[in-house]
Short mmCIF file of all heavy atoms in Angstrom, two decimals:
data_model
loop_
_atom_site.label_atom_id
_atom_site.label_comp_id
_atom_site.label_asym_id
_atom_site.label_seq_id
_atom_site.Cartn_x
_atom_site.Cartn_y
_atom_site.Cartn_z
N MET A 267 113.78 86.46 103.92
CA MET A 267 113.61 85.17 104.63
C MET A 267 113.41 84.02 103.67
O MET A 267 112.55 84.17 102.79
CB MET A 267 112.40 85.25 105.61
CG MET A 267 112.35 84.11 106.58
SD MET A 267 111.03 84.42 107.77
CE MET A 267 111.72 85.65 108.84
N PRO A 268 114.12 82.88 103.78
CA PRO A 268 113.94 81.78 102.79
C PRO A 268 112.52 81.20 102.86
O PRO A 268 111.93 81.21 103.94
CB PRO A 268 114.91 80.74 103.20
CG PRO A 268 115.93 81.44 104.06
CD PRO A 268 115.19 82.57 104.74
N VAL A 269 112.04 80.81 101.77
CA VAL A 269 110.66 80.18 101.70
C VAL A 269 110.86 78.66 101.52
O VAL A 269 111.40 78.24 100.54
CB VAL A 269 109.87 80.70 100.50
CG1 VAL A 269 108.49 80.06 100.54
CG2 VAL A 269 109.71 82.26 100.61
N PRO A 270 110.50 77.89 102.55
CA PRO A 270 110.66 76.42 102.40
C PRO A 270 109.92 75.85 101.17
O PRO A 270 108.84 76.28 100.84
CB PRO A 270 110.01 75.90 103.66
CG PRO A 270 110.06 77.05 104.65
CD PRO A 270 109.84 78.27 103.82
N ASN A 271 110.69 74.96 100.44
CA ASN A 271 110.14 74.35 99.22
C ASN A 271 109.20 73.22 99.66
O ASN A 271 109.64 72.08 99.62
CB ASN A 271 111.31 73.91 98.38
CG ASN A 271 110.83 73.33 97.06
OD1 ASN A 271 109.70 73.20 96.80
ND2 ASN A 271 111.84 72.99 96.23
N SER A 272 107.99 73.60 100.03
CA SER A 272 107.03 72.52 100.39
C SER A 272 105.85 72.61 99.39
O SER A 272 105.59 73.64 98.76
CB SER A 272 106.52 72.78 101.82
OG SER A 272 105.74 74.01 101.83
N GLN A 273 105.12 71.49 99.37
CA GLN A 273 103.93 71.43 98.50
C GLN A 273 102.90 72.44 98.89
O GLN A 273 102.33 73.15 98.08
CB GLN A 273 103.36 70.06 98.55
CG GLN A 273 102.32 69.69 97.49
CD GLN A 273 103.04 69.76 96.12
OE1 GLN A 273 104.09 69.21 95.83
NE2 GLN A 273 102.41 70.43 95.17
N GLU A 274 102.78 72.62 100.22
CA GLU A 274 101.85 73.59 100.72
C GLU A 274 102.21 75.07 100.31
O GLU A 274 101.33 75.75 99.83
CB GLU A 274 101.79 73.52 102.25
CG GLU A 274 100.72 74.39 102.90
CD GLU A 274 100.82 74.36 104.44
OE1 GLU A 274 101.76 73.75 104.92
OE2 GLU A 274 100.00 75.02 104.98
N ASN A 275 103.43 75.36 100.39
CA ASN A 275 103.85 76.73 100.00
C ASN A 275 103.71 76.91 98.49
O ASN A 275 103.29 77.97 98.06
CB ASN A 275 105.31 76.98 100.46
CG ASN A 275 105.38 77.19 101.94
OD1 ASN A 275 104.42 77.41 102.60
ND2 ASN A 275 106.60 77.15 102.43
N MET A 276 104.07 75.88 97.74
CA MET A 276 104.03 76.03 96.27
C MET A 276 102.59 76.21 95.86
O MET A 276 102.29 76.94 94.94
CB MET A 276 104.61 74.70 95.64
CG MET A 276 104.78 74.80 94.18
SD MET A 276 105.36 73.29 93.46
CE MET A 276 107.04 73.16 94.14
N SER A 277 101.63 75.54 96.53
CA SER A 277 100.27 75.63 96.18
C SER A 277 99.63 77.01 96.40
O SER A 277 98.61 77.37 95.84
CB SER A 277 99.42 74.59 96.85
OG SER A 277 99.30 74.88 98.23
N ARG A 278 100.27 77.78 97.22
CA ARG A 278 99.80 79.13 97.51
C ARG A 278 100.25 80.12 96.42
O ARG A 278 99.73 81.26 96.38
CB ARG A 278 100.39 79.72 98.82
CG ARG A 278 99.92 78.99 100.09
CD ARG A 278 100.48 79.71 101.27
NE ARG A 278 100.06 79.11 102.52
CZ ARG A 278 100.86 78.81 103.53
NH1 ARG A 278 102.16 79.05 103.45
NH2 ARG A 278 100.36 78.22 104.60
N CYS A 279 101.20 79.79 95.65
CA CYS A 279 101.77 80.69 94.71
C CYS A 279 100.76 81.22 93.68
O CYS A 279 100.06 80.50 93.08
CB CYS A 279 102.93 80.03 93.90
SG CYS A 279 103.80 81.22 92.80
N VAL A 280 100.77 82.59 93.51
CA VAL A 280 99.86 83.16 92.59
C VAL A 280 100.56 83.81 91.33
O VAL A 280 100.01 84.57 90.58
CB VAL A 280 99.02 84.30 93.30
CG1 VAL A 280 98.09 83.70 94.35
CG2 VAL A 280 99.95 85.39 93.93
N CYS A 281 101.82 83.40 91.18
CA CYS A 281 102.55 83.91 89.99
C CYS A 281 101.81 83.70 88.67
O CYS A 281 101.90 84.57 87.81
CB CYS A 281 103.97 83.22 89.90
SG CYS A 281 105.13 83.73 91.19
N GLY A 282 101.09 82.64 88.60
CA GLY A 282 100.44 82.27 87.28
C GLY A 282 99.38 83.40 86.92
O GLY A 282 99.00 83.40 85.79
N SER A 283 98.98 84.17 87.91
CA SER A 283 98.00 85.22 87.57
C SER A 283 98.63 86.54 87.56
O SER A 283 97.92 87.63 87.41
CB SER A 283 96.93 85.26 88.69
OG SER A 283 96.28 84.05 88.93
N CYS A 284 99.94 86.62 87.52
CA CYS A 284 100.69 87.87 87.48
C CYS A 284 100.96 88.44 86.09
O CYS A 284 101.24 87.62 85.17
CB CYS A 284 102.02 87.66 88.22
SG CYS A 284 103.16 89.09 88.15
N PRO A 285 100.89 89.74 85.85
CA PRO A 285 101.16 90.20 84.51
C PRO A 285 102.63 89.98 84.06
O PRO A 285 102.88 90.03 82.81
CB PRO A 285 100.87 91.75 84.66
CG PRO A 285 100.79 91.99 86.12
CD PRO A 285 100.44 90.74 86.76
N SER A 286 103.55 89.83 84.98
CA SER A 286 104.94 89.60 84.56
C SER A 286 105.21 88.11 84.26
O SER A 286 106.28 87.76 83.68
CB SER A 286 105.89 90.03 85.68
OG SER A 286 105.73 91.39 86.00
N TYR A 287 104.30 87.26 84.62
CA TYR A 287 104.54 85.78 84.45
C TYR A 287 104.46 85.36 82.96
O TYR A 287 103.62 85.82 82.27
CB TYR A 287 103.44 85.06 85.23
CG TYR A 287 103.52 83.52 85.13
CD1 TYR A 287 104.39 82.84 85.96
CD2 TYR A 287 102.68 82.84 84.30
CE1 TYR A 287 104.43 81.42 85.88
CE2 TYR A 287 102.74 81.46 84.24
CZ TYR A 287 103.57 80.76 84.97
OH TYR A 287 103.68 79.43 84.94
N LEU A 288 105.42 84.53 82.61
CA LEU A 288 105.38 84.00 81.21
C LEU A 288 104.88 82.58 81.22
O LEU A 288 105.30 81.74 82.08
CB LEU A 288 106.78 83.99 80.66
CG LEU A 288 107.44 85.41 80.52
CD1 LEU A 288 108.90 85.42 80.13
CD2 LEU A 288 106.59 86.22 79.48
N GLU A 289 103.99 82.27 80.32
CA GLU A 289 103.36 80.99 80.15
C GLU A 289 104.40 79.83 80.18
O GLU A 289 105.43 79.93 79.52
CB GLU A 289 102.62 80.96 78.78
CG GLU A 289 101.46 79.90 78.85
CD GLU A 289 100.49 80.12 79.95
OE1 GLU A 289 100.04 81.26 80.14
OE2 GLU A 289 100.15 79.16 80.59
N GLY A 290 104.12 78.86 80.98
CA GLY A 290 105.02 77.64 81.03
C GLY A 290 106.16 77.84 82.10
O GLY A 290 106.92 76.83 82.17
N ASP A 291 106.29 78.93 82.67
CA ASP A 291 107.31 79.11 83.62
C ASP A 291 106.96 78.38 84.88
O ASP A 291 105.84 77.96 85.20
CB ASP A 291 107.56 80.58 83.86
CG ASP A 291 109.05 80.95 84.16
OD1 ASP A 291 109.76 80.02 84.47
OD2 ASP A 291 109.39 82.10 84.03
N SER A 292 107.94 78.23 85.73
CA SER A 292 107.76 77.42 87.00
C SER A 292 106.93 78.06 88.07
O SER A 292 106.17 77.38 88.73
CB SER A 292 109.15 77.13 87.65
OG SER A 292 109.72 78.31 88.10
N GLY A 293 106.99 79.38 88.21
CA GLY A 293 106.37 79.99 89.41
C GLY A 293 107.18 79.63 90.65
O GLY A 293 108.22 79.05 90.50
N PHE A 294 106.66 80.05 91.76
CA PHE A 294 107.20 79.77 93.07
C PHE A 294 108.70 80.23 93.11
O PHE A 294 109.54 79.58 93.66
CB PHE A 294 107.08 78.25 93.34
CG PHE A 294 107.24 77.87 94.79
CD1 PHE A 294 106.77 78.68 95.82
CD2 PHE A 294 107.89 76.64 95.18
CE1 PHE A 294 106.95 78.35 97.19
CE2 PHE A 294 107.98 76.27 96.45
CZ PHE A 294 107.54 77.13 97.48
N PHE A 295 108.94 81.33 92.50
CA PHE A 295 110.28 81.83 92.32
C PHE A 295 110.94 82.29 93.74
O PHE A 295 112.20 82.23 93.79
CB PHE A 295 110.26 83.08 91.39
CG PHE A 295 109.67 82.76 90.08
CD1 PHE A 295 108.43 83.30 89.71
CD2 PHE A 295 110.34 81.99 89.14
CE1 PHE A 295 107.90 83.03 88.46
CE2 PHE A 295 109.82 81.67 87.84
CZ PHE A 295 108.55 82.22 87.57
N CYS A 296 110.12 82.65 94.64
CA CYS A 296 110.70 83.08 95.93
C CYS A 296 111.52 81.86 96.58
O CYS A 296 112.42 82.10 97.34
CB CYS A 296 109.63 83.53 96.89
SG CYS A 296 108.29 82.36 97.27
N SER A 297 111.06 80.68 96.24
CA SER A 297 111.78 79.45 96.78
C SER A 297 112.72 78.80 95.75
O SER A 297 113.80 78.47 96.11
CB SER A 297 110.72 78.46 97.26
OG SER A 297 111.36 77.35 97.80
N LEU A 298 112.23 78.75 94.54
CA LEU A 298 113.02 77.96 93.54
C LEU A 298 114.14 78.84 92.85
O LEU A 298 115.05 78.28 92.29
CB LEU A 298 112.09 77.46 92.41
CG LEU A 298 110.98 76.57 92.77
CD1 LEU A 298 110.11 76.16 91.60
CD2 LEU A 298 111.53 75.36 93.52
N GLY A 299 113.97 80.17 92.99
CA GLY A 299 115.00 81.03 92.38
C GLY A 299 114.39 81.63 91.09
O GLY A 299 113.36 81.34 90.59
N LYS A 300 115.30 82.48 90.46
CA LYS A 300 114.80 83.27 89.34
C LYS A 300 114.43 82.47 88.08
O LYS A 300 114.94 81.36 87.94
CB LYS A 300 115.75 84.42 89.00
CG LYS A 300 117.01 84.05 88.37
CD LYS A 300 117.75 85.21 87.81
CE LYS A 300 118.57 85.94 88.81
NZ LYS A 300 119.48 86.89 88.20
N SER A 301 113.62 83.08 87.31
CA SER A 301 113.18 82.51 86.04
C SER A 301 114.35 82.36 85.04
O SER A 301 115.21 83.22 85.02
CB SER A 301 112.09 83.37 85.42
OG SER A 301 111.80 82.93 84.11
N GLN A 302 114.34 81.31 84.23
CA GLN A 302 115.33 81.19 83.18
C GLN A 302 114.88 81.97 82.00
O GLN A 302 115.64 82.05 80.99
CB GLN A 302 115.42 79.69 82.77
CG GLN A 302 115.78 78.81 83.95
CD GLN A 302 117.14 79.10 84.55
OE1 GLN A 302 118.15 79.19 83.83
NE2 GLN A 302 117.23 79.28 85.81
N LYS A 303 113.65 82.43 81.96
CA LYS A 303 113.16 83.19 80.78
C LYS A 303 113.53 84.66 80.90
O LYS A 303 113.81 85.15 81.94
CB LYS A 303 111.64 83.01 80.72
CG LYS A 303 111.14 81.60 80.50
CD LYS A 303 109.65 81.51 80.46
CE LYS A 303 109.14 80.10 80.37
NZ LYS A 303 109.23 79.59 79.05
N SER A 304 113.49 85.33 79.73
CA SER A 304 113.77 86.75 79.71
C SER A 304 112.46 87.49 79.86
O SER A 304 111.58 87.55 78.91
CB SER A 304 114.42 87.09 78.38
OG SER A 304 114.53 88.41 78.23
N LEU A 305 112.22 87.98 81.04
CA LEU A 305 110.87 88.55 81.29
C LEU A 305 111.00 90.11 81.55
O LEU A 305 112.07 90.62 81.86
CB LEU A 305 110.22 87.88 82.48
CG LEU A 305 110.92 87.80 83.85
CD1 LEU A 305 110.76 89.12 84.64
CD2 LEU A 305 110.57 86.59 84.58
N GLU A 306 109.84 90.68 81.40
CA GLU A 306 109.73 92.14 81.66
C GLU A 306 108.99 92.33 82.96
O GLU A 306 107.99 91.68 83.22
CB GLU A 306 108.91 92.83 80.58
CG GLU A 306 109.67 93.19 79.33
CD GLU A 306 108.82 93.92 78.38
OE1 GLU A 306 108.32 94.96 78.66
OE2 GLU A 306 108.56 93.29 77.30
N LYS A 307 109.36 93.29 83.75
CA LYS A 307 108.61 93.57 84.99
C LYS A 307 107.39 94.37 84.62
O LYS A 307 107.52 95.52 84.29
CB LYS A 307 109.53 94.39 85.96
CG LYS A 307 110.70 93.57 86.53
CD LYS A 307 111.48 94.42 87.54
CE LYS A 307 112.57 93.61 88.21
NZ LYS A 307 113.35 94.50 89.12
N LYS A 308 106.26 93.73 84.77
CA LYS A 308 105.02 94.40 84.47
C LYS A 308 104.08 94.49 85.62
O LYS A 308 102.87 94.59 85.52
CB LYS A 308 104.29 93.62 83.28
CG LYS A 308 105.09 93.62 82.05
CD LYS A 308 104.29 92.73 80.96
CE LYS A 308 104.96 92.76 79.66
NZ LYS A 308 104.32 91.85 78.68
N GLY A 309 104.64 94.34 86.80
CA GLY A 309 103.89 94.28 88.02
C GLY A 309 104.25 92.98 88.79
O GLY A 309 104.61 92.01 88.13
N CYS A 310 104.02 93.08 90.09
CA CYS A 310 104.24 91.87 90.94
C CYS A 310 103.17 91.78 91.93
O CYS A 310 102.79 92.72 92.60
CB CYS A 310 105.62 91.99 91.69
SG CYS A 310 105.98 90.56 92.76
N ILE A 311 102.57 90.53 92.04
CA ILE A 311 101.43 90.40 92.91
C ILE A 311 101.76 89.48 94.10
O ILE A 311 100.88 88.93 94.78
CB ILE A 311 100.21 89.84 92.22
CG1 ILE A 311 100.45 88.48 91.51
CG2 ILE A 311 99.65 90.87 91.18
CD1 ILE A 311 99.18 87.84 90.98
N CYS A 312 103.07 89.36 94.37
CA CYS A 312 103.49 88.56 95.53
C CYS A 312 102.82 88.91 96.77
O CYS A 312 102.63 88.08 97.68
CB CYS A 312 105.02 88.55 95.65
SG CYS A 312 105.96 87.54 94.49
N ASN A 313 102.56 90.25 96.94
CA ASN A 313 102.00 90.68 98.18
C ASN A 313 100.58 90.28 98.44
O ASN A 313 99.93 90.46 99.42
CB ASN A 313 102.16 92.20 98.40
CG ASN A 313 101.39 93.01 97.36
OD1 ASN A 313 100.79 92.50 96.45
ND2 ASN A 313 101.39 94.31 97.53
N THR A 314 99.97 89.59 97.37
CA THR A 314 98.60 88.98 97.59
C THR A 314 98.72 87.57 97.85
O THR A 314 97.68 86.85 97.98
CB THR A 314 97.75 89.23 96.31
OG1 THR A 314 98.22 88.42 95.22
CG2 THR A 314 97.70 90.71 95.88
N CYS A 315 99.87 86.99 97.88
CA CYS A 315 100.09 85.55 98.09
C CYS A 315 100.07 85.18 99.52
O CYS A 315 100.57 85.97 100.35
CB CYS A 315 101.39 85.17 97.38
SG CYS A 315 102.04 83.50 97.79
N GLY A 316 99.62 84.04 99.87
CA GLY A 316 99.57 83.58 101.28
C GLY A 316 100.97 83.52 101.87
O GLY A 316 101.13 83.69 103.11
N ASN A 317 101.99 83.24 101.06
CA ASN A 317 103.36 83.11 101.61
C ASN A 317 103.90 84.52 102.09
O ASN A 317 104.85 84.55 102.79
CB ASN A 317 104.23 82.49 100.57
CG ASN A 317 103.94 81.02 100.33
OD1 ASN A 317 103.48 80.37 101.24
ND2 ASN A 317 104.13 80.58 99.08
N TRP A 318 103.31 85.53 101.48
CA TRP A 318 103.91 86.85 101.72
C TRP A 318 103.87 87.16 103.26
O TRP A 318 104.90 87.46 103.85
CB TRP A 318 103.08 87.90 100.97
CG TRP A 318 103.54 89.31 101.13
CD1 TRP A 318 103.06 90.29 101.96
CD2 TRP A 318 104.51 89.99 100.27
NE1 TRP A 318 103.81 91.46 101.76
CE2 TRP A 318 104.67 91.28 100.72
CE3 TRP A 318 105.34 89.58 99.24
CZ2 TRP A 318 105.55 92.22 100.13
CZ3 TRP A 318 106.27 90.43 98.66
CH2 TRP A 318 106.30 91.76 99.15
N GLU A 319 102.68 87.05 103.85
CA GLU A 319 102.53 87.30 105.29
C GLU A 319 103.12 86.10 106.10
O GLU A 319 103.75 86.32 107.10
CB GLU A 319 101.08 87.59 105.64
CG GLU A 319 100.84 88.99 105.73
CD GLU A 319 99.50 89.36 106.47
OE1 GLU A 319 99.17 88.71 107.54
OE2 GLU A 319 98.86 90.23 105.89
N GLU A 320 102.82 84.99 105.58
CA GLU A 320 103.16 83.74 106.35
C GLU A 320 104.69 83.65 106.65
O GLU A 320 105.08 83.42 107.73
CB GLU A 320 102.73 82.48 105.53
CG GLU A 320 103.08 81.16 106.13
CD GLU A 320 102.04 80.75 107.22
OE1 GLU A 320 100.93 81.36 107.29
OE2 GLU A 320 102.41 79.86 107.99
N VAL A 321 105.47 84.00 105.59
CA VAL A 321 106.90 83.90 105.73
C VAL A 321 107.52 85.28 106.06
O VAL A 321 108.65 85.34 106.57
CB VAL A 321 107.54 83.30 104.39
CG1 VAL A 321 109.03 83.12 104.53
CG2 VAL A 321 106.82 82.09 104.00
N GLY A 322 106.79 86.32 105.89
CA GLY A 322 107.26 87.70 106.10
C GLY A 322 108.14 88.17 105.03
O GLY A 322 109.24 88.70 105.27
N LEU A 323 107.67 88.07 103.83
CA LEU A 323 108.38 88.56 102.64
C LEU A 323 108.18 90.10 102.49
O LEU A 323 107.19 90.63 103.00
CB LEU A 323 107.95 87.81 101.35
CG LEU A 323 108.09 86.38 101.41
CD1 LEU A 323 107.46 85.67 100.13
CD2 LEU A 323 109.60 86.00 101.39
N SER A 324 109.09 90.72 101.74
CA SER A 324 108.90 92.20 101.56
C SER A 324 109.31 92.67 100.22
O SER A 324 109.12 93.85 99.87
CB SER A 324 109.65 92.94 102.64
OG SER A 324 110.97 92.56 102.68
N ALA A 325 110.01 91.87 99.41
CA ALA A 325 110.67 92.36 98.22
C ALA A 325 109.76 92.21 96.95
O ALA A 325 109.44 93.12 96.31
CB ALA A 325 111.99 91.68 97.99
N GLY A 326 109.43 90.99 96.59
CA GLY A 326 108.68 90.69 95.33
C GLY A 326 109.73 90.56 94.17
O GLY A 326 110.93 90.65 94.35
N TYR A 327 109.15 90.40 93.02
CA TYR A 327 109.93 90.20 91.75
C TYR A 327 111.03 89.11 91.94
O TYR A 327 112.13 89.29 91.40
CB TYR A 327 110.54 91.54 91.26
CG TYR A 327 109.63 92.42 90.52
CD1 TYR A 327 109.24 93.65 91.08
CD2 TYR A 327 109.06 92.00 89.35
CE1 TYR A 327 108.36 94.46 90.38
CE2 TYR A 327 108.16 92.83 88.69
CZ TYR A 327 107.78 94.04 89.14
OH TYR A 327 106.97 94.83 88.55
N TYR A 328 110.65 88.08 92.58
CA TYR A 328 111.62 87.02 92.77
C TYR A 328 111.91 86.31 91.43
O TYR A 328 113.01 85.72 91.28
CB TYR A 328 111.06 85.95 93.81
CG TYR A 328 110.80 86.59 95.10
CD1 TYR A 328 109.50 86.85 95.52
CD2 TYR A 328 111.84 87.06 95.91
CE1 TYR A 328 109.24 87.50 96.75
CE2 TYR A 328 111.60 87.70 97.13
CZ TYR A 328 110.34 87.92 97.51
OH TYR A 328 110.06 88.56 98.69
N CYS A 329 111.02 86.41 90.47
CA CYS A 329 111.26 85.79 89.11
C CYS A 329 112.44 86.51 88.49
O CYS A 329 113.14 85.81 87.69
CB CYS A 329 109.93 85.99 88.29
SG CYS A 329 109.36 87.64 88.22
N ALA A 330 112.62 87.76 88.75
CA ALA A 330 113.61 88.51 88.10
C ALA A 330 114.88 88.66 88.94
O ALA A 330 116.04 88.68 88.48
CB ALA A 330 113.16 89.93 87.75
N GLU A 331 114.70 88.63 90.23
CA GLU A 331 115.81 88.97 91.19
C GLU A 331 116.37 87.75 91.96
O GLU A 331 117.46 87.84 92.49
CB GLU A 331 115.36 89.95 92.23
CG GLU A 331 114.68 91.20 91.73
CD GLU A 331 115.61 92.09 90.93
OE1 GLU A 331 116.81 91.96 91.04
OE2 GLU A 331 115.10 92.97 90.22
N GLY A 332 115.63 86.66 91.88
CA GLY A 332 116.10 85.45 92.55
C GLY A 332 115.34 85.22 93.87
O GLY A 332 114.54 85.98 94.25
N ARG A 333 115.68 84.10 94.46
CA ARG A 333 114.89 83.65 95.61
C ARG A 333 114.95 84.59 96.75
O ARG A 333 115.98 85.40 96.91
CB ARG A 333 115.28 82.24 96.01
CG ARG A 333 116.71 82.13 96.54
CD ARG A 333 116.96 80.68 97.11
NE ARG A 333 116.67 79.62 96.14
CZ ARG A 333 117.54 79.21 95.31
NH1 ARG A 333 118.80 79.67 95.28
NH2 ARG A 333 117.24 78.24 94.43
N ALA A 334 114.00 84.44 97.65
CA ALA A 334 114.04 85.20 98.91
C ALA A 334 115.12 84.68 99.86
O ALA A 334 115.24 83.52 99.98
CB ALA A 334 112.69 85.11 99.66
N GLU A 335 115.96 85.56 100.41
CA GLU A 335 117.03 85.14 101.29
C GLU A 335 116.67 85.51 102.77
O GLU A 335 116.07 86.51 103.03
CB GLU A 335 118.30 85.85 100.92
CG GLU A 335 118.71 85.52 99.48
CD GLU A 335 119.17 84.06 99.17
OE1 GLU A 335 119.28 83.36 100.17
OE2 GLU A 335 119.38 83.73 98.04
S1 SF4 B 569 105.53 85.11 97.16
FE1 SF4 B 569 105.47 85.34 94.99
S2 SF4 B 569 106.92 83.88 94.11
FE2 SF4 B 569 106.57 83.30 96.21
S3 SF4 B 569 104.90 81.77 96.12
FE3 SF4 B 569 103.95 83.79 96.42
S4 SF4 B 569 103.42 84.57 94.37
FE4 SF4 B 569 104.89 82.89 94.09
S1 SF4 B 570 107.55 86.78 91.47
FE1 SF4 B 570 106.14 88.46 91.52
S2 SF4 B 570 106.55 89.45 89.52
FE2 SF4 B 570 107.42 87.44 89.39
S3 SF4 B 570 105.75 86.27 88.49
FE3 SF4 B 570 105.61 86.02 90.74
S4 SF4 B 570 104.16 87.53 91.32
FE4 SF4 B 570 104.86 88.08 89.31
#
């Protein structure tokens, strides 16, 4: 399910605390799309994010796989 690109949804993003997150990256990948950086999958904490239940997400790793559809 798409995640609306709103300030409220962006503020819920916990990517910055994720082991796969690279410093300086955008975060909010479920809405903005995948990272431009070359990252390694070291775990995904999307399921602890407020948007996970709110929007009904189920995949994770949006930084590597692209936005939620
Ligand atoms: S679901 Fe993941 S990518 Fe989307 S806002 Fe939450 S932590 Fe960020
Ligand atoms: S999308 Fe998931 S794996 Fe990628 S940085 Fe955010 S929480 Fe981590």
